[in-house]
Amino acid sequence: MPRPTVPFSPEERLVFQHIPKTAGTSLQSALCQMFQPEEFLHFNSWDGATDDQIRQARFISGHITSSDIARVPEPKRVVTILRDPKDRILSLYYFWRSMTDDYVDRLGEPGPVLAKQRSLIEFLQSEELFIRYHVDNALVRSFLTADSYPLPSTYGSLPPEELAEHALRQLRTYFFVGFQERFDEDYVAIQLSLGLAPQPMARHNVMADVTAEDGDFEPVDRELMTPEIQKALAQLTSADTIFYEAARAEGATLRPKAAR
């Protein structure tokens, strides 16, 4: 897909596909500076948004999938940040586990409850649908359309290579693909690629910060990485790892020339 290097125009929409635990909240905050509050729409795939809400927005961000992005009218530019799949799962588990009981009660979501009740290996091996949705090749599934394997049970028999290639074809249509492992550099590059003066970085949801400064979180001990845990992580990221390593190899082609 041709990637324009011209500044973002008033006719375009910007879509940020925020993969959980990829430092995306920090980037979303910076990109919001481009728009008026009424032009910003935040939603997650499980919450949904109406077609009218999407049409009226100029900046759309959230934990969304390719199916959600397909509903956004053209012209649009789509950006995302990827992260090593195993590291992403571990970050999600410990982020949920670090939430205080009071905050978990107020939040009312099953993920933190389940993480706090289970050891790491129990969490990774859980058959709870909510957990599976967030950890079972969840990176690849973010780039698959709703009519092609939206949940683990519907694609379990497909080779991970096929799933990864399907997701890669979608990723190659994006305007800018960054990587959490080089976030400081890509944080600036994404903004420059849109013709923006880079905003100072305000980090959000960084574990060391939230546990030290936020009363809704508390320090948690990390478990030792055992062969059993490593095996479970490998099984949960079989397609994700193929996808991620291919994306890293193609990294320079997944962004405008001016941002390489």
Side-chain angles (χ1 to χ4, degrees):
M1 176 182 180
R3 291 175 172 81
T5 57
V6 297
F8 192 74
S9 73
E11 294 76 28
E12 292 182 283
R13 290 176 175 84
L14 179 62
V15 182
F16 175 41
Q17 184 177 13
H18 180 185
I19 308 300
K21 306 314 298 173
T22 58
T25 305
S26 300
L27 179 59
Q28 176 184 283
S29 296
L31 295 177
C32 273
Q33 305 304 311
M34 294 173 56
F35 303 93
Q36 298 299 317
E38 63 271 17
E39 296 178 313
F40 174 48
L41 173 64
H42 181 275
F43 77 97
N44 299 318
S45 289
W46 52 87
D47 298 326
T50 67
D51 290 340
D52 282 344
Q53 287 175 315
I54 291 174
R55 279 194 298 268
Q56 293 168 11
R58 290 196 60 227
F59 176 35
I60 297 160
S61 176
H63 300 318
I64 54 179
T65 68
S66 290
S67 296
D68 300 310
I69 294 170
R71 297 171 59 204
V72 179
E74 299 286 353
K76 62 191 172 192
R77 301 193 201 185
V78 184
V79 301
T80 195
I81 300 286
L82 304 181
R83 182 178 187 176
D84 177 274
K86 298 181 182 67
D87 290 344
R88 193 199 68 82
I89 291 175
L90 292 173
S91 178
L92 179 65
Y93 172 73
Y94 288 114
F95 180 68
W96 279 345
R97 196 168 173 81
S98 71
M99 295 178 180
T100 63
D101 291 340
D102 179 66
Y103 184 45
V104 170
D105 290 341
R106 285 186 279 121
L107 201 61
E109 295 182 357
V113 174
L114 295 169
K116 291 176 76 69
Q117 291 175 344
R118 289 163 167 75
S119 67
L120 178 55
I121 189 61
E122 290 170 341
F123 180 83
L124 298 176
Q125 294 177 341
S126 174
E127 294 299 325
E128 290 275 358
L129 185 59
F130 190 90
I131 294 178
R132 301 290 290 184
Y133 181 87
H134 284 83
V135 303
D136 188 352
N137 288 295
L139 183 59
V140 157
R141 284 191 292 105
S142 296
F143 298 93
L144 303 180
T145 55
D147 58 354
S148 59
Y149 349 114
L151 289 173
S153 61
T154 63
Y155 68 70
S157 62
L158 294 171
E161 295 82 5
E162 180 179 335
L163 291 167
E165 181 53 37
H166 187 112
L168 279 165
R169 287 197 296 270
Q170 180 67 23
L171 190 72
R172 293 176 186 129
T173 70
Y174 284 23
F175 173 72
F176 193 112
V177 178
F179 297 90
Q180 192 268 349
E181 291 79 2
R182 46 176 284 177
F183 182 76
D184 289 0
E185 179 182 347
D186 285 347
Y187 174 86
V188 173
I190 288 176
Q191 295 176 77
L192 290 175
S193 72
L194 294 167
L196 302 174
Q199 299 291 318
M201 187 185 303
R203 290 193 178 274
H204 299 269
N205 295 340
V206 178
M207 281 294 295
D209 295 336
V210 297
T211 56
E213 302 174 3
D214 193 325
D216 290 331
F217 295 84
E218 57 193 2
V220 292
D221 293 328
R222 287 184 170 251
E223 299 181 35
L224 293 175
M225 289 294 292
T226 65
E228 186 179 21
I229 290 172
Q230 292 173 334
K231 180 180 179 181
L233 284 169
Q235 291 173 337
L236 290 170
T237 60
S238 57
D240 279 0
T241 298
I242 297 169
F243 168 77
Y244 178 78
E245 290 177 351
R248 285 302 301 261
E250 296 182 22
T253 69
L254 297 174
R255 60 189 63 199
K257 290 182 179 179
R260 294 180 187 174

